[in-house]
Amino acid sequence: MKTAASPGAAAGRRASPGAAAGLQARAAELREAISYHNDRYYNAAEPEIPDADYDALVDELRALEAEHPELAVAGSPTEQVGAPITTLFAPAAHKVPMMSLDKVVNMDELLAWGRRLERLLEMAPEDAAALRFVCEPKIDGLSISITYEHGELVRAATRGDGRVGEDVTQNVRTIGEVPARLELPPGEIPTEIEVRGEVYLPLAAFEELNARQQAAGLRLFANPRNAAAGSLRQRDPSITASRALGLWAYQVVSADVLAQGTRVEAAGEGDAAAELTNQSGSLELLRRAGFPVNGETALVTGLDAVYAYCADLQERRHSLGYEIDGAVVKLDDISLHRSLGATSHAPRWAVAYKFPPEERTTLLEDILVSIGRTGRATPFARLRPVRVGGSTVSLASLHNEDQVALKDVRPGDTVIVRKAGDVIPEVVGPVLSMRPEGVLPWRFPSECPLCGGQLVRLEGEADTYCVNFDCPGQKVQRVAHFASRSAMDIEGLGEQRVAQLIDAGVIGDAADFYDVRADDLYGLEGFGEISARNLVAAIDASRKRPLPNLLVALGIRHVGSTVAQALADGFGDLDHIMAASEEELASVEGIGPVIAASVAHFFASGANLAFVERLRGGGVSFGTRAVSELPRLLEGKSVVVTGTLAGWSREEAEAAITGRGGKSPGSVSARTTAVVVGSSPGGAKLARAKELGVPILDEAGLAKLLETGELPG
Ligand code: IVH
């Protein structure tokens, strides 16, 4: 199986004989690949490639068959849904086929779908504008059909190939959210009703399951969908029962709502399902009958509102607690479902609005090693650029030697790349069936790629280090760190600029910044008179940075912004910190023995003390703030400030909080005591505070809190 997932050469309408043979071969190759991946997905419940790559294969084959009808063959995977069933479970034929959904990926395609509805329903545009749609999250789990007779659960089946699924009744009975009996008044119980929905694993349960798997030395599941499928398709229902599976019910199939026309059985007397005329009513019935119906579902009018729903859901997709891969848009009016019917694989009355994929495959071109400011050598992947999670990814960290071995990724592999939301891109693992022959495991280099010095991995540690303090790679990183935002914040000094200044001999280390004159810069590549003067001014401004910034800039192990703030609060200036013993350091709130030892160790080094003295000579402020003698009214409290306050700068407000023993972090969590909101606050912080029910204060509320230590009543 070595079929590239990317679409092949564009198919021309009238192909030459040679090209025709090529197209035929490509179609055969695509069919083979699709069947193989169907089997991995549906039968082994262990797909090898992301859905988006699978979809690309199907899309390519579908386009090829549409352009060249002579290439279409009976039983092509483009006509099928899912995969043939296995022998693990008894077959269960679906009375109404379980279909797939056509997809759209943007507003234009959504509007084109709308125009098709308008045409098929022979509607005037103004009537079409009044069409109502039910919008639902597209749950990334596996679809299930559950049949009730006279209100009792009698059968549950997976989708299988859409016509015949697997009988998983015993397993589905163990899912707590699936009612064993419909909770409807006796008069409303239908003779027979089929409920369809998605079995899924909530993210928290997925993480817990993988933690258990790891502890037991068992294989980890790649994602919640695979874990849900693996959990449902168990021979032993007690295993399914232990997996915290959930259900979202989203469709009713009963005698009178068969979009495909075949009557299952006459509806019973007073049958609630028989009276269903719209999808929103179906969901309401499901809710009343005791099924979980997703709360993100909405009934809207017109495609603009549908699009707004999809865009909003996409924004929030990572805060739902379960994975979704899009929205499903369904015409509300069930009579229209009947008029529209279905194609060979999908109904015409519904469409999936798919979100941009968060996993794709690409080529791992090489594994390289970068050197950080502490000398840590981090392996990273150089990837053939791929669009994933809304951006183009060409680099991804592989963290350390063990991670590379554990994932068994090798240069030359096709790998799965994942980028979800704001999370940094990750190489998930290789697609083993696509590994070319002769590809060897990667070995950690024994020499630093930048200075040629030895790379050392200490016994019991995960990381490998370049131990040459003069390594140019480390030096650039150290100096760039010194100039960075949370440190001395020297504008315009990124990694490349720093490397340039070191190479040109303008600076040897960060303390040299304070001797740089505009003349030294003028004439260097990229420096004109103005930019040279600007950089000197930016360096000058950094002389007055507050003490915590200076502490961060020194690059002491374990000293980030929070610890630096605690040290500054505890000692007031750098001289007192340098003079403090390990015990005195550890007596400060927020400083534990490890940090205290690290700080003491740093200032015990002659080289470091010499560096600090050069900074003093260069005019850098060592902090003058008196140690806080304010009452520690906010001890144990955490107060977040967002937006602009009239009477205080953000720094002043935060200092007033920390000066009284409180914390003032940059983000809101369940442990936040209160959020102080000024004008133009950060939307995310405010929204999170509201979501978590954290008290929100205005400026007067802050003043009260500072004075009394209590939240205003
Ligand atoms: S409706 C014929 N609603 O998406 C109607 N499907 O790509 C199809 N899915 O097989 C089902 N959430 O497994 C529907 N709210 C939802 C859904 C949903 C997830 C899955 C389902 C289906 C697949 C179609």
Side-chain angles (χ1 to χ4, degrees):
M1 185 59 42
K2 299 215 170 56
T3 304
S6 59
R13 186 164 273 288
R14 231 170 262 125
S16 67
L23 293 178
Q24 191 144 28
R26 180 66 186 155
E29 194 176 44
L30 287 166
R31 285 188 195 112
E32 193 199 338
I34 293 165
S35 314
Y36 172 82
H37 292 301
N38 274 344
D39 182 60
R40 303 291 316 164
Y41 187 93
Y42 293 103
N43 295 333
E46 218 179 322
E48 273 190 353
I49 57 170
D51 287 0
D53 287 67
Y54 172 85
D55 289 349
L57 294 175
V58 176
D59 288 350
E60 188 189 346
L61 180 58
R62 205 165 266 157
L64 211 54
E65 288 178 349
E67 285 274 298
H68 303 276
E70 72 280 6
L71 292 179
V73 295
S76 172
T78 50
E79 288 172 11
Q80 287 167 20
V81 175
I85 48 136
T86 57
T87 52
L88 192 59
F89 297 93
H94 297 298
K95 289 181 175 171
V96 174
M98 289 183 81
M99 308 198 94
S100 167
L101 286 171
D102 281 333
K103 65 166 194 286
V104 295
V105 298
N106 54 36
M107 182 67 172
D108 282 348
E109 292 186 10
L110 183 68
L111 291 176
W113 178 70
R115 280 195 298 273
R116 192 159 61 128
L117 290 183
E118 198 178 300
R119 187 163 40 78
L120 292 169
L121 294 169
E122 296 175 355
M123 273 185 154
E126 57 276 19
D127 294 334
L131 281 174
R132 306 216 297 171
F133 299 91
V134 173
C135 302
E136 305 168 10
K138 188 170 185 307
I139 312 295
D140 204 4
L142 63 152
S143 42
I144 193 85
S145 140
I146 314 174
T147 305
Y148 292 80
E149 283 175 10
H150 307 289
E152 300 286 342
L153 190 165
V154 293
R155 195 185 67 146
T158 63
R159 181 163 79 165
D161 68 359
R163 302 191 173 274
V164 182
E166 296 166 314
D167 188 325
V168 287
T169 312
Q170 297 314 323
N171 293 355
V172 167
R173 282 189 200 281
T174 71
I175 302 176
E177 291 189 350
V178 176
R181 220 198 121 63
L182 300 180
E183 295 165 14
L184 291 172
E188 286 189 49
I189 300 268
T191 317
E192 173 170 349
I193 186 175
E194 187 187 331
V195 174
R196 291 182 178 176
E198 202 84 353
V199 171
Y200 73 102
L201 198 61
L203 282 170
F206 166 69
E207 270 145 31
E208 212 177 290
L209 171 60
N210 260 355
R212 274 193 281 151
Q213 293 281 111
Q214 184 153 27
L218 297 171
R219 198 175 52 82
L220 300 190
F221 292 101
N223 56 49
R225 202 212 80 88
N226 292 5
S231 302
L232 188 67
R233 298 174 74 259
Q234 288 285 337
R235 259 184 229 280
D236 176 0
S238 72
I239 299 183
T240 309
S242 72
R243 295 285 173 84
L245 290 170
L247 172 79
W248 293 122
Y250 50 62
Q251 208 72 26
V252 176
V253 185
S254 83
D256 275 69
V257 285
L258 300 184
Q260 286 74 27
T262 23
R263 276 185 82 87
V264 176
E265 191 180 307
E269 188 88 6
D271 176 343
E275 283 143 29
L276 291 173
T277 56
N278 51 34
Q279 169 67 3
S280 42
S282 304
L283 296 178
E284 197 39 51
L285 174 70
L286 288 172
R287 225 176 247 133
R288 288 203 295 119
F291 291 93
V293 172
N294 195 286
E296 301 293 339
T297 299
L299 176 63
V300 306
T301 303
L303 287 176
D304 284 339
V306 167
Y307 182 71
Y309 172 93
C310 295
D312 172 64
L313 190 65
Q314 184 174 331
E315 281 270 300
R316 297 184 299 113
R317 71 183 289 193
H318 294 293
S319 60
L320 299 178
Y322 46 86
E323 291 207 326
I324 63 172
D325 58 351
V328 181
V329 182
K330 302 171 181 175
L331 270 172
D332 188 39
D333 184 343
I334 290 173
S335 68
L336 298 180
H337 297 192
R338 290 200 202 89
S339 336
L340 286 162
T343 66
S344 66
H345 64 276
R348 293 194 185 87
W349 45 265
V351 78
Y353 184 99
K354 292 270 253 175
F355 296 155
E358 299 196 316
E359 283 192 2
R360 291 301 309 258
T361 57
T362 191
L363 180 68
L364 172 57
E365 294 177 334
D366 207 352
I367 299 178
L368 304 166
V369 168
S370 70
I371 304 295
R373 69 184 160 86
T374 60
R376 186 164 75 196
T378 307
F380 66 95
R382 198 182 72 211
L383 304 160
R384 177 179 291 168
V386 61
R387 264 309 294 160
V388 54
S391 61
T392 300
V393 173
S394 53
L395 299 173
S397 175
L398 292 166
H399 307 291
N400 57 45
E401 186 173 12
D402 294 344
Q403 285 288 315
V404 181
L406 200 70
K407 290 183 171 163
D408 185 27
V409 284
R410 310 177 181 189
D413 267 339
T414 293
V415 293
I416 297 169
V417 176
R418 179 174 172 80
K419 181 170 177 290
D422 301 335
V423 178
I424 47 175
E426 179 199 5
V427 175
V428 180
V431 180
L432 288 177
S433 67
M434 290 170 81
R435 173 172 285 168
E437 265 167 50
V439 159
L440 297 174
W442 182 76
R443 293 212 182 290
F444 211 100
S446 54
E447 284 168 10
C448 170
L450 295 171
C451 70
Q454 221 192 339
L455 291 183
V456 178
R457 180 174 173 183
L458 294 179
E459 198 59 39
E461 287 218 13
D463 292 321
T464 305
Y465 286 88
C466 164
V467 291
N468 169 18
F469 186 79
D470 292 323
C471 168
Q474 287 183 48
K475 196 179 281 182
V476 170
Q477 296 295 332
R478 272 199 303 271
V479 176
H481 169 80
F482 183 92
S484 67
R485 205 49 187 288
S486 60
M488 300 305 266
D489 195 10
I490 308 179
E491 208 177 311
L493 270 184
E495 217 174 288
Q496 283 182 359
R497 262 280 131 87
V498 167
Q500 180 194 16
L501 297 185
I502 292 177
D503 285 347
V506 176
I507 57 168
D509 66 13
D512 288 338
F513 278 139
Y514 299 102
D515 296 329
V516 171
R517 292 161 308 139
D519 285 353
D520 302 331
L521 303 169
Y522 186 60
L524 292 180
E525 195 185 324
F527 278 105
E529 211 170 312
I530 294 176
S531 52
R533 262 194 273 130
N534 283 347
L535 181 54
V536 172
I539 292 171
D540 184 43
S542 79
R543 289 186 165 97
K544 297 188 215 46
R545 294 283 172 253
L547 178 56
N549 292 62
L550 174 60
L551 286 166
V552 170
L554 293 178
I556 307 169
R557 201 161 177 213
H558 305 305
V559 180
S561 297
T562 311
V563 169
Q565 184 70 55
L567 287 169
D569 289 344
F571 294 96
D573 64 31
L574 189 61
D575 285 305
H576 282 92
I577 297 172
M578 291 198 288
S581 68
E582 215 171 302
E583 292 71 41
E584 284 166 334
L585 288 163
S587 71
V588 169
E589 164 91 16
I591 309 292
V594 175
I595 299 172
S598 168
V599 174
H601 179 75
F602 183 89
F603 291 116
S605 142
N608 289 340
L609 289 176
F611 179 79
V612 168
E613 288 314 318
R614 285 169 57 221
L615 293 180
R616 193 198 305 270
V620 172
S621 158
F622 278 17
T624 48
R625 190 148 49 124
V627 180
S628 173
E629 279 167 16
L630 295 164
R632 300 184 71 75
L633 290 167
L634 299 181
E635 199 96 51
K637 294 199 166 64
S638 166
V639 183
V640 174
V641 183
T642 178
T644 314
L645 303 176
W648 325 58
S649 74
R650 169 84 65 82
E651 288 72 20
E652 284 166 349
E654 288 175 355
I657 294 161
T658 54
R660 286 166 177 76
K663 290 202 165 65
S664 188
S667 63
V668 179
S669 77
R671 289 185 299 280
T672 306
T673 313
V675 176
V676 179
V677 177
S679 58
S680 339
K685 285 182 201 164
L686 193 54
R688 185 102 177 105
K690 286 185 180 152
E691 189 183 317
L692 294 169
V694 171
I696 293 170
L697 304 182
D698 58 9
E699 215 166 321
L702 171 64
K704 183 94 193 298
L705 180 66
L706 292 172
E707 199 185 308
T708 63
E710 301 293 330
L711 288 172

